[in-house]
Amino acid sequence: TGDKSALEAEVTSWRDRVSKMVSKYHQVDPEAHRQLQIKAQKLEKSHGEVLKQKTAAAKRAAELQDQVTSLQAMNKTTREGMKSRMKAAAEKVEKLKAQIAEATTAGAAKDKAKAALAKELAQAKANGSDADKKRIAALEEQAVKMRGLLRKQAEKIKNMVG
């Protein structure tokens, strides 16, 4: 019984010793605990702010994407409009070139006719008979008409070019 009491006393002693050691090493330093709580609060606050910034950034990104989409659509419409206007302008230029070529050809033909009439007029004046004088008057009348036609052609060409 004496050994039993001694063993029980020793067991109790070891339990107390182990319990003290466990409690000693499981204790939290109050200052370290307070600092960790402050740090945790700061991190929670910072996390909340970061989430707000993330939400704001996502909203801004969506707005910018909408703007990009809108600008791309406007750009496409503008390009298509420019293409059609350029095509119409090119067609008009070709049409005007054809009209100018036609007017130039007509003007050249009239210049040849005028030169022939002037030559004939000069010959008729040189010969000087009454029949020739009548022919001269007729040729002069034709020359006046030709000048009028040439002026009109020149105005048409000027209007086409201008």
Side-chain angles (χ1 to χ4, degrees):
T1 67
D3 282 333
K4 186 178 176 185
S5 331
L7 284 173
E8 284 178 0
E10 193 175 331
V11 166
T12 304
S13 167
W14 275 106
R15 274 191 192 145
D16 288 344
R17 188 171 178 196
V18 167
S19 178
K20 285 180 185 175
M21 286 174 59
V22 168
S23 70
K24 178 181 176 186
Y25 288 106
H26 281 298
Q27 283 184 350
V28 176
D29 181 17
E31 181 59 29
H33 184 263
R34 187 183 65 75
Q35 287 178 357
L36 286 173
Q37 283 179 327
I38 291 170
K39 187 174 181 180
Q41 288 172 350
K42 286 180 182 176
L43 287 173
E44 285 177 7
K45 184 179 179 182
S46 175
H47 177 67
E49 290 173 5
V50 168
L51 285 177
K52 286 179 186 176
Q53 290 174 354
K54 178 185 171 193
T55 303
K59 183 179 178 183
R60 180 69 177 142
E63 290 171 356
L64 291 174
Q65 184 60 43
D66 289 345
Q67 287 180 356
V68 165
T69 303
S70 174
L71 288 173
Q72 286 173 337
M74 286 172 47
N75 187 19
K76 182 180 178 185
T77 302
T78 302
R79 269 186 290 159
E80 289 171 356
M82 286 297 292
K83 283 181 183 177
S84 66
R85 286 192 296 275
M86 290 297 289
K87 184 178 178 182
E91 289 171 358
K92 186 175 182 180
V93 165
E94 290 303 316
K95 190 176 183 181
L96 288 173
K97 283 181 181 179
Q99 288 175 350
I100 289 171
E102 184 181 308
T104 303
T105 303
K110 289 179 182 172
D111 285 342
K112 286 181 183 178
K114 180 183 172 187
L117 288 174
K119 183 178 178 182
E120 193 176 330
L121 178 64
Q123 286 175 353
K125 280 184 179 179
N127 293 337
S129 69
D130 283 336
D132 289 337
K133 288 182 184 179
K134 287 180 184 178
R135 179 75 179 139
I136 289 172
L139 289 174
E140 285 176 343
E141 189 177 315
Q142 281 184 341
V144 169
K145 287 180 183 177
M146 290 299 282
R147 281 188 208 108
L149 287 174
L150 285 173
R151 272 191 231 111
K152 286 180 184 178
Q153 284 292 60
E155 286 179 31
K156 277 185 180 179
I157 290 172
K158 187 188 275 185
N159 288 337
M160 282 187 229
V161 173

